[in-house]
PDB file of all heavy atoms in Angstrom:
ATOM      1  N   LYS A 164       0.855  -1.113  -0.019  1.00 93.00           N
ATOM      2  CA  LYS A 164       0.026   0.042  -0.012  1.00 93.00           C
ATOM      3  C   LYS A 164       0.889   1.215  -0.032  1.00 93.00           C
ATOM      4  O   LYS A 164       1.938   1.295   0.627  1.00 93.00           O
ATOM      5  CB  LYS A 164      -0.957  -0.010   1.142  1.00 93.00           C
ATOM      6  CG  LYS A 164      -0.315   0.068   2.534  1.00 93.00           C
ATOM      7  CD  LYS A 164      -1.250  -0.022   3.635  1.00 93.00           C
ATOM      8  CE  LYS A 164      -0.639   0.015   5.002  1.00 93.00           C
ATOM      9  NZ  LYS A 164      -1.507  -0.136   6.056  1.00 93.00           N
ATOM     10  N   GLU A 165       0.429   2.235  -0.763  1.00 95.00           N
ATOM     11  CA  GLU A 165       1.126   3.595  -0.880  1.00 95.00           C
ATOM     12  C   GLU A 165       2.385   3.474  -1.746  1.00 95.00           C
ATOM     13  O   GLU A 165       3.038   4.485  -2.083  1.00 95.00           O
ATOM     14  CB  GLU A 165       1.422   4.211   0.424  1.00 95.00           C
ATOM     15  CG  GLU A 165       0.278   4.401   1.360  1.00 95.00           C
ATOM     16  CD  GLU A 165      -0.778   5.141   0.811  1.00 95.00           C
ATOM     17  OE1 GLU A 165      -0.489   6.131   0.050  1.00 95.00           O
ATOM     18  OE2 GLU A 165      -1.976   4.821   1.053  1.00 95.00           O
ATOM     19  N   ASP A 166       2.694   2.260  -2.320  1.00 96.00           N
ATOM     20  CA  ASP A 166       3.791   2.170  -3.373  1.00 96.00           C
ATOM     21  C   ASP A 166       3.339   2.948  -4.671  1.00 96.00           C
ATOM     22  O   ASP A 166       2.184   2.853  -5.014  1.00 96.00           O
ATOM     23  CB  ASP A 166       4.115   0.787  -3.737  1.00 96.00           C
ATOM     24  CG  ASP A 166       5.015   0.068  -2.737  1.00 96.00           C
ATOM     25  OD1 ASP A 166       5.487   0.687  -1.784  1.00 96.00           O
ATOM     26  OD2 ASP A 166       5.147  -1.156  -2.904  1.00 96.00           O
ATOM     27  N   LYS A 167       4.286   3.686  -5.248  1.00 97.00           N
ATOM     28  CA  LYS A 167       4.085   4.413  -6.443  1.00 97.00           C
ATOM     29  C   LYS A 167       4.224   3.425  -7.671  1.00 97.00           C
ATOM     30  O   LYS A 167       5.250   2.803  -7.751  1.00 97.00           O
ATOM     31  CB  LYS A 167       4.897   5.659  -6.530  1.00 97.00           C
ATOM     32  CG  LYS A 167       4.607   6.531  -7.686  1.00 97.00           C
ATOM     33  CD  LYS A 167       5.428   7.745  -7.717  1.00 97.00           C
ATOM     34  CE  LYS A 167       5.009   8.483  -8.864  1.00 97.00           C
ATOM     35  NZ  LYS A 167       5.914   9.671  -9.158  1.00 97.00           N
ATOM     36  N   LEU A 168       3.288   3.541  -8.493  1.00 97.00           N
ATOM     37  CA  LEU A 168       3.318   2.757  -9.799  1.00 97.00           C
ATOM     38  C   LEU A 168       4.130   3.616 -10.860  1.00 97.00           C
ATOM     39  O   LEU A 168       4.127   4.855 -10.763  1.00 97.00           O
ATOM     40  CB  LEU A 168       1.980   2.421 -10.240  1.00 97.00           C
ATOM     41  CG  LEU A 168       1.066   1.492  -9.453  1.00 97.00           C
ATOM     42  CD1 LEU A 168      -0.183   1.344  -9.997  1.00 97.00           C
ATOM     43  CD2 LEU A 168       1.841   0.154  -9.281  1.00 97.00           C
ATOM     44  N   PRO A 169       4.645   2.945 -11.836  1.00 96.00           N
ATOM     45  CA  PRO A 169       5.277   3.786 -12.911  1.00 96.00           C
ATOM     46  C   PRO A 169       4.228   4.599 -13.584  1.00 96.00           C
ATOM     47  O   PRO A 169       3.139   4.245 -13.663  1.00 96.00           O
ATOM     48  CB  PRO A 169       5.896   2.668 -13.879  1.00 96.00           C
ATOM     49  CG  PRO A 169       5.609   1.281 -13.155  1.00 96.00           C
ATOM     50  CD  PRO A 169       4.778   1.554 -12.085  1.00 96.00           C
ATOM     51  N   SER A 170       4.695   5.744 -14.140  1.00 96.00           N
ATOM     52  CA  SER A 170       3.752   6.607 -14.759  1.00 96.00           C
ATOM     53  C   SER A 170       3.313   5.827 -16.172  1.00 96.00           C
ATOM     54  O   SER A 170       3.955   4.889 -16.568  1.00 96.00           O
ATOM     55  CB  SER A 170       4.414   7.883 -15.279  1.00 96.00           C
ATOM     56  OG  SER A 170       5.364   7.655 -16.282  1.00 96.00           O
ATOM     57  N   VAL A 171       2.235   6.365 -16.707  1.00 96.00           N
ATOM     58  CA  VAL A 171       1.709   5.696 -17.990  1.00 96.00           C
ATOM     59  C   VAL A 171       2.765   5.768 -18.990  1.00 96.00           C
ATOM     60  O   VAL A 171       3.047   4.756 -19.700  1.00 96.00           O
ATOM     61  CB  VAL A 171       0.458   6.512 -18.441  1.00 96.00           C
ATOM     62  CG1 VAL A 171       0.079   6.026 -19.774  1.00 96.00           C
ATOM     63  CG2 VAL A 171      -0.675   6.194 -17.497  1.00 96.00           C
ATOM     64  N   ARG A 172       3.445   6.896 -19.196  1.00 96.00           N
ATOM     65  CA  ARG A 172       4.545   7.062 -20.165  1.00 96.00           C
ATOM     66  C   ARG A 172       5.635   6.042 -19.914  1.00 96.00           C
ATOM     67  O   ARG A 172       6.223   5.409 -20.838  1.00 96.00           O
ATOM     68  CB  ARG A 172       5.045   8.417 -20.137  1.00 96.00           C
ATOM     69  CG  ARG A 172       6.057   8.718 -21.262  1.00 96.00           C
ATOM     70  CD  ARG A 172       6.443  10.214 -21.285  1.00 96.00           C
ATOM     71  NE  ARG A 172       5.312  10.991 -21.686  1.00 96.00           N
ATOM     72  CZ  ARG A 172       5.191  12.298 -21.407  1.00 96.00           C
ATOM     73  NH1 ARG A 172       6.152  12.959 -20.833  1.00 96.00           N
ATOM     74  NH2 ARG A 172       4.117  12.907 -21.627  1.00 96.00           N
ATOM     75  N   GLU A 173       6.096   6.022 -18.571  1.00 96.00           N
ATOM     76  CA  GLU A 173       7.194   4.991 -18.301  1.00 96.00           C
ATOM     77  C   GLU A 173       6.825   3.603 -18.558  1.00 96.00           C
ATOM     78  O   GLU A 173       7.673   2.846 -19.217  1.00 96.00           O
ATOM     79  CB  GLU A 173       7.546   5.162 -16.772  1.00 96.00           C
ATOM     80  CG  GLU A 173       8.189   6.404 -16.357  1.00 96.00           C
ATOM     81  CD  GLU A 173       8.287   6.491 -14.840  1.00 96.00           C
ATOM     82  OE1 GLU A 173       7.492   5.918 -14.093  1.00 96.00           O
ATOM     83  OE2 GLU A 173       9.145   7.259 -14.419  1.00 96.00           O
ATOM     84  N   LEU A 174       5.672   3.156 -18.225  1.00 95.00           N
ATOM     85  CA  LEU A 174       5.318   1.706 -18.353  1.00 95.00           C
ATOM     86  C   LEU A 174       4.996   1.420 -19.892  1.00 95.00           C
ATOM     87  O   LEU A 174       5.487   0.401 -20.371  1.00 95.00           O
ATOM     88  CB  LEU A 174       4.024   1.412 -17.534  1.00 95.00           C
ATOM     89  CG  LEU A 174       3.642  -0.050 -17.386  1.00 95.00           C
ATOM     90  CD1 LEU A 174       4.797  -0.867 -16.979  1.00 95.00           C
ATOM     91  CD2 LEU A 174       2.480  -0.271 -16.654  1.00 95.00           C
ATOM     92  N   SER A 175       4.497   2.357 -20.611  1.00 95.00           N
ATOM     93  CA  SER A 175       4.274   2.128 -22.060  1.00 95.00           C
ATOM     94  C   SER A 175       5.549   2.040 -22.773  1.00 95.00           C
ATOM     95  O   SER A 175       5.783   1.285 -23.663  1.00 95.00           O
ATOM     96  CB  SER A 175       3.374   3.291 -22.649  1.00 95.00           C
ATOM     97  OG  SER A 175       4.019   4.425 -22.807  1.00 95.00           O
ATOM     98  N   SER A 176       6.496   2.844 -22.303  1.00 95.00           N
ATOM     99  CA  SER A 176       7.873   2.869 -23.022  1.00 95.00           C
ATOM    100  C   SER A 176       8.581   1.532 -22.548  1.00 95.00           C
ATOM    101  O   SER A 176       9.159   0.918 -23.477  1.00 95.00           O
ATOM    102  CB  SER A 176       8.722   4.007 -22.426  1.00 95.00           C
ATOM    103  OG  SER A 176       9.991   3.921 -22.930  1.00 95.00           O
ATOM    104  N   HIS A 177       8.548   1.128 -21.325  1.00 94.00           N
ATOM    105  CA  HIS A 177       9.101  -0.138 -20.934  1.00 94.00           C
ATOM    106  C   HIS A 177       8.536  -1.333 -21.628  1.00 94.00           C
ATOM    107  O   HIS A 177       9.272  -2.231 -21.963  1.00 94.00           O
ATOM    108  CB  HIS A 177       8.962  -0.248 -19.372  1.00 94.00           C
ATOM    109  CG  HIS A 177       9.468  -1.618 -18.869  1.00 94.00           C
ATOM    110  ND1 HIS A 177      10.819  -1.849 -18.711  1.00 94.00           N
ATOM    111  CD2 HIS A 177       8.771  -2.695 -18.341  1.00 94.00           C
ATOM    112  CE1 HIS A 177      10.940  -3.020 -18.169  1.00 94.00           C
ATOM    113  NE2 HIS A 177       9.751  -3.601 -17.964  1.00 94.00           N
ATOM    114  N   LEU A 178       7.209  -1.348 -21.752  1.00 94.00           N
ATOM    115  CA  LEU A 178       6.519  -2.545 -22.282  1.00 94.00           C
ATOM    116  C   LEU A 178       6.412  -2.431 -23.910  1.00 94.00           C
ATOM    117  O   LEU A 178       6.007  -3.400 -24.569  1.00 94.00           O
ATOM    118  CB  LEU A 178       5.093  -2.752 -21.756  1.00 94.00           C
ATOM    119  CG  LEU A 178       5.047  -3.084 -20.219  1.00 94.00           C
ATOM    120  CD1 LEU A 178       3.596  -3.055 -19.838  1.00 94.00           C
ATOM    121  CD2 LEU A 178       5.744  -4.355 -19.926  1.00 94.00           C
ATOM    122  N   ALA A 179       6.727  -1.220 -24.359  1.00 94.00           N
ATOM    123  CA  ALA A 179       6.647  -0.842 -25.840  1.00 94.00           C
ATOM    124  C   ALA A 179       5.197  -1.124 -26.362  1.00 94.00           C
ATOM    125  O   ALA A 179       4.958  -1.834 -27.339  1.00 94.00           O
ATOM    126  CB  ALA A 179       7.644  -1.699 -26.603  1.00 94.00           C
ATOM    127  N   ILE A 180       4.201  -0.522 -25.642  1.00 94.00           N
ATOM    128  CA  ILE A 180       2.914  -0.723 -26.007  1.00 94.00           C
ATOM    129  C   ILE A 180       2.208   0.643 -25.917  1.00 94.00           C
ATOM    130  O   ILE A 180       2.741   1.629 -25.266  1.00 94.00           O
ATOM    131  CB  ILE A 180       2.003  -1.663 -25.237  1.00 94.00           C
ATOM    132  CG1 ILE A 180       2.057  -1.376 -23.826  1.00 94.00           C
ATOM    133  CG2 ILE A 180       2.500  -3.050 -25.522  1.00 94.00           C
ATOM    134  CD1 ILE A 180       1.091  -2.299 -23.026  1.00 94.00           C
ATOM    135  N   ASN A 181       1.131   0.866 -26.490  1.00 96.00           N
ATOM    136  CA  ASN A 181       0.427   2.315 -26.586  1.00 96.00           C
ATOM    137  C   ASN A 181       0.141   2.740 -25.215  1.00 96.00           C
ATOM    138  O   ASN A 181      -0.483   1.975 -24.394  1.00 96.00           O
ATOM    139  CB  ASN A 181      -0.826   2.016 -27.405  1.00 96.00           C
ATOM    140  CG  ASN A 181      -1.497   3.358 -27.780  1.00 96.00           C
ATOM    141  OD1 ASN A 181      -1.698   4.276 -26.943  1.00 96.00           O
ATOM    142  ND2 ASN A 181      -1.867   3.481 -29.014  1.00 96.00           N
ATOM    143  N   PRO A 182       0.436   4.024 -24.972  1.00 96.00           N
ATOM    144  CA  PRO A 182       0.027   4.565 -23.537  1.00 96.00           C
ATOM    145  C   PRO A 182      -1.461   4.520 -23.246  1.00 96.00           C
ATOM    146  O   PRO A 182      -1.795   4.425 -22.076  1.00 96.00           O
ATOM    147  CB  PRO A 182       0.524   6.074 -23.743  1.00 96.00           C
ATOM    148  CG  PRO A 182       1.498   6.123 -24.815  1.00 96.00           C
ATOM    149  CD  PRO A 182       1.124   5.014 -25.803  1.00 96.00           C
ATOM    150  N   ASN A 183      -2.280   4.500 -24.295  1.00 97.00           N
ATOM    151  CA  ASN A 183      -3.722   4.392 -24.041  1.00 97.00           C
ATOM    152  C   ASN A 183      -4.049   3.094 -23.439  1.00 97.00           C
ATOM    153  O   ASN A 183      -5.059   3.010 -22.638  1.00 97.00           O
ATOM    154  CB  ASN A 183      -4.581   4.571 -25.374  1.00 97.00           C
ATOM    155  CG  ASN A 183      -4.485   5.996 -25.858  1.00 97.00           C
ATOM    156  OD1 ASN A 183      -4.270   6.938 -25.099  1.00 97.00           O
ATOM    157  ND2 ASN A 183      -4.492   6.180 -27.193  1.00 97.00           N
ATOM    158  N   THR A 184      -3.374   1.956 -23.782  1.00 97.00           N
ATOM    159  CA  THR A 184      -3.542   0.628 -23.213  1.00 97.00           C
ATOM    160  C   THR A 184      -3.223   0.734 -21.705  1.00 97.00           C
ATOM    161  O   THR A 184      -3.964   0.228 -20.958  1.00 97.00           O
ATOM    162  CB  THR A 184      -2.692  -0.344 -23.907  1.00 97.00           C
ATOM    163  OG1 THR A 184      -3.011  -0.301 -25.258  1.00 97.00           O
ATOM    164  CG2 THR A 184      -2.919  -1.749 -23.336  1.00 97.00           C
ATOM    165  N   ILE A 185      -2.129   1.326 -21.350  1.00 96.00           N
ATOM    166  CA  ILE A 185      -1.867   1.440 -19.911  1.00 96.00           C
ATOM    167  C   ILE A 185      -2.808   2.376 -19.182  1.00 96.00           C
ATOM    168  O   ILE A 185      -3.293   1.969 -18.097  1.00 96.00           O
ATOM    169  CB  ILE A 185      -0.359   2.095 -19.784  1.00 96.00           C
ATOM    170  CG1 ILE A 185       0.736   1.369 -20.637  1.00 96.00           C
ATOM    171  CG2 ILE A 185       0.035   2.175 -18.358  1.00 96.00           C
ATOM    172  CD1 ILE A 185       0.920   0.009 -20.284  1.00 96.00           C
ATOM    173  N   SER A 186      -3.163   3.356 -19.788  1.00 97.00           N
ATOM    174  CA  SER A 186      -4.287   4.251 -19.126  1.00 97.00           C
ATOM    175  C   SER A 186      -5.565   3.537 -18.934  1.00 97.00           C
ATOM    176  O   SER A 186      -6.138   3.696 -17.847  1.00 97.00           O
ATOM    177  CB  SER A 186      -4.479   5.505 -20.079  1.00 97.00           C
ATOM    178  OG  SER A 186      -3.503   6.377 -20.193  1.00 97.00           O
ATOM    179  N   ARG A 187      -5.842   2.699 -19.804  1.00 97.00           N
ATOM    180  CA  ARG A 187      -7.144   1.959 -19.634  1.00 97.00           C
ATOM    181  C   ARG A 187      -7.007   1.009 -18.502  1.00 97.00           C
ATOM    182  O   ARG A 187      -7.942   0.834 -17.647  1.00 97.00           O
ATOM    183  CB  ARG A 187      -7.518   1.141 -20.950  1.00 97.00           C
ATOM    184  CG  ARG A 187      -8.775   0.452 -20.753  1.00 97.00           C
ATOM    185  CD  ARG A 187      -9.315  -0.140 -22.037  1.00 97.00           C
ATOM    186  NE  ARG A 187     -10.557  -0.828 -21.921  1.00 97.00           N
ATOM    187  CZ  ARG A 187     -11.177  -1.613 -22.699  1.00 97.00           C
ATOM    188  NH1 ARG A 187     -10.655  -1.595 -24.000  1.00 97.00           N
ATOM    189  NH2 ARG A 187     -12.215  -2.190 -22.462  1.00 97.00           N
ATOM    190  N   ALA A 188      -5.801   0.302 -18.507  1.00 97.00           N
ATOM    191  CA  ALA A 188      -5.632  -0.581 -17.310  1.00 97.00           C
ATOM    192  C   ALA A 188      -5.618   0.083 -15.947  1.00 97.00           C
ATOM    193  O   ALA A 188      -6.268  -0.415 -15.048  1.00 97.00           O
ATOM    194  CB  ALA A 188      -4.250  -1.412 -17.519  1.00 97.00           C
ATOM    195  N   TYR A 189      -4.960   1.274 -15.898  1.00 97.00           N
ATOM    196  CA  TYR A 189      -4.932   1.977 -14.685  1.00 97.00           C
ATOM    197  C   TYR A 189      -6.304   2.460 -14.259  1.00 97.00           C
ATOM    198  O   TYR A 189      -6.764   2.395 -13.109  1.00 97.00           O
ATOM    199  CB  TYR A 189      -3.933   3.169 -14.862  1.00 97.00           C
ATOM    200  CG  TYR A 189      -2.489   2.945 -14.536  1.00 97.00           C
ATOM    201  CD1 TYR A 189      -1.982   1.615 -14.580  1.00 97.00           C
ATOM    202  CD2 TYR A 189      -1.649   3.939 -14.381  1.00 97.00           C
ATOM    203  CE1 TYR A 189      -0.643   1.347 -14.422  1.00 97.00           C
ATOM    204  CE2 TYR A 189      -0.218   3.716 -14.099  1.00 97.00           C
ATOM    205  CZ  TYR A 189       0.155   2.393 -14.091  1.00 97.00           C
ATOM    206  OH  TYR A 189       1.536   2.118 -13.874  1.00 97.00           O
ATOM    207  N   ARG A 190      -7.053   2.881 -15.308  1.00 96.00           N
ATOM    208  CA  ARG A 190      -8.483   3.378 -15.034  1.00 96.00           C
ATOM    209  C   ARG A 190      -9.411   2.274 -14.440  1.00 96.00           C
ATOM    210  O   ARG A 190     -10.044   2.428 -13.509  1.00 96.00           O
ATOM    211  CB  ARG A 190      -9.018   3.966 -16.295  1.00 96.00           C
ATOM    212  CG  ARG A 190     -10.405   4.602 -16.174  1.00 96.00           C
ATOM    213  CD  ARG A 190     -10.940   5.335 -17.367  1.00 96.00           C
ATOM    214  NE  ARG A 190     -10.931   4.327 -18.534  1.00 96.00           N
ATOM    215  CZ  ARG A 190     -10.133   4.495 -19.634  1.00 96.00           C
ATOM    216  NH1 ARG A 190      -9.273   5.503 -19.701  1.00 96.00           N
ATOM    217  NH2 ARG A 190     -10.230   3.617 -20.687  1.00 96.00           N
ATOM    218  N   ASP A 191      -9.238   1.080 -15.095  1.00 94.00           N
ATOM    219  CA  ASP A 191     -10.033  -0.086 -14.601  1.00 94.00           C
ATOM    220  C   ASP A 191      -9.577  -0.440 -13.173  1.00 94.00           C
ATOM    221  O   ASP A 191     -10.444  -0.745 -12.292  1.00 94.00           O
ATOM    222  CB  ASP A 191      -9.833  -1.182 -15.533  1.00 94.00           C
ATOM    223  CG  ASP A 191     -10.614  -1.070 -16.876  1.00 94.00           C
ATOM    224  OD1 ASP A 191     -11.295  -0.075 -17.033  1.00 94.00           O
ATOM    225  OD2 ASP A 191     -10.284  -1.809 -17.784  1.00 94.00           O
ATOM    226  N   LEU A 192      -8.315  -0.501 -12.947  1.00 94.00           N
ATOM    227  CA  LEU A 192      -7.842  -0.908 -11.563  1.00 94.00           C
ATOM    228  C   LEU A 192      -8.175   0.250 -10.631  1.00 94.00           C
ATOM    229  O   LEU A 192      -8.498  -0.056  -9.413  1.00 94.00           O
ATOM    230  CB  LEU A 192      -6.286  -0.952 -11.515  1.00 94.00           C
ATOM    231  CG  LEU A 192      -5.751  -2.263 -12.185  1.00 94.00           C
ATOM    232  CD1 LEU A 192      -4.216  -2.165 -12.450  1.00 94.00           C
ATOM    233  CD2 LEU A 192      -6.103  -3.569 -11.444  1.00 94.00           C
ATOM    234  N   GLU A 193      -8.269   1.525 -10.959  1.00 93.00           N
ATOM    235  CA  GLU A 193      -8.686   2.446 -10.107  1.00 93.00           C
ATOM    236  C   GLU A 193     -10.241   2.341  -9.763  1.00 93.00           C
ATOM    237  O   GLU A 193     -10.700   2.524  -8.669  1.00 93.00           O
ATOM    238  CB  GLU A 193      -8.547   3.883 -10.739  1.00 93.00           C
ATOM    239  CG  GLU A 193      -8.804   5.139  -9.743  1.00 93.00           C
ATOM    240  CD  GLU A 193      -8.416   6.353 -10.386  1.00 93.00           C
ATOM    241  OE1 GLU A 193      -8.174   6.593 -11.642  1.00 93.00           O
ATOM    242  OE2 GLU A 193      -8.334   7.357  -9.520  1.00 93.00           O
ATOM    243  N   MET A 194     -11.022   2.035 -10.735  1.00 90.00           N
ATOM    244  CA  MET A 194     -12.411   1.782 -10.542  1.00 90.00           C
ATOM    245  C   MET A 194     -12.731   0.601  -9.630  1.00 90.00           C
ATOM    246  O   MET A 194     -13.650   0.588  -8.876  1.00 90.00           O
ATOM    247  CB  MET A 194     -13.147   1.595 -11.915  1.00 90.00           C
ATOM    248  CG  MET A 194     -13.276   2.936 -12.655  1.00 90.00           C
ATOM    249  SD  MET A 194     -13.949   2.825 -14.432  1.00 90.00           S
ATOM    250  CE  MET A 194     -14.866   1.253 -14.386  1.00 90.00           C
ATOM    251  N   GLN A 195     -11.817  -0.414  -9.619  1.00 88.00           N
ATOM    252  CA  GLN A 195     -11.897  -1.555  -8.827  1.00 88.00           C
ATOM    253  C   GLN A 195     -11.391  -1.317  -7.500  1.00 88.00           C
ATOM    254  O   GLN A 195     -11.613  -2.154  -6.490  1.00 88.00           O
ATOM    255  CB  GLN A 195     -11.186  -2.717  -9.475  1.00 88.00           C
ATOM    256  CG  GLN A 195     -11.807  -3.157 -10.822  1.00 88.00           C
ATOM    257  CD  GLN A 195     -10.787  -4.144 -11.553  1.00 88.00           C
ATOM    258  OE1 GLN A 195      -9.906  -4.708 -11.007  1.00 88.00           O
ATOM    259  NE2 GLN A 195     -11.034  -4.272 -12.836  1.00 88.00           N
ATOM    260  N   GLY A 196     -10.630  -0.190  -7.287  1.00 89.00           N
ATOM    261  CA  GLY A 196     -10.244   0.214  -5.941  1.00 89.00           C
ATOM    262  C   GLY A 196      -8.801  -0.371  -5.612  1.00 89.00           C
ATOM    263  O   GLY A 196      -8.399  -0.130  -4.415  1.00 89.00           O
ATOM    264  N   TYR A 197      -8.065  -0.863  -6.506  1.00 92.00           N
ATOM    265  CA  TYR A 197      -6.771  -1.315  -6.205  1.00 92.00           C
ATOM    266  C   TYR A 197      -5.664  -0.211  -6.234  1.00 92.00           C
ATOM    267  O   TYR A 197      -4.664  -0.320  -5.625  1.00 92.00           O
ATOM    268  CB  TYR A 197      -6.291  -2.374  -7.317  1.00 92.00           C
ATOM    269  CG  TYR A 197      -7.046  -3.767  -7.154  1.00 92.00           C
ATOM    270  CD1 TYR A 197      -8.232  -4.031  -7.715  1.00 92.00           C
ATOM    271  CD2 TYR A 197      -6.502  -4.681  -6.368  1.00 92.00           C
ATOM    272  CE1 TYR A 197      -8.869  -5.217  -7.558  1.00 92.00           C
ATOM    273  CE2 TYR A 197      -7.044  -5.909  -6.102  1.00 92.00           C
ATOM    274  CZ  TYR A 197      -8.263  -6.180  -6.770  1.00 92.00           C
ATOM    275  OH  TYR A 197      -8.934  -7.367  -6.544  1.00 92.00           O
TER     276      TYR A 197
END
C-alpha cells in the first residue's frame, strides 16, 4: 500500500505498447479500488 506505480509514459515505454492501453488498465484498476 502507498507504493508508487510507474507513470503511464514510463510503463508504455518499458513494455513498448500504446500509452492508451496502460491508461485503460490503470483506469480499470482505479475503478476496482486497487
Side-chain angles (χ1 to χ4, degrees):
K164 63 183 176 181
E165 304 303 323
D166 280 353
K167 186 176 182 190
L168 296 176
S170 71
V171 169
R172 187 175 296 161
E173 290 170 338
L174 192 54
S175 73
S176 175
H177 175 73
L178 296 174
I180 60 175
N181 190 313
N183 292 330
T184 303
I185 306 298
S186 292
R187 182 171 180 187
Y189 276 17
R190 185 176 53 248
D191 289 350
L192 286 168
E193 186 175 17
M194 287 177 17
Q195 296 166 18
Y197 286 92

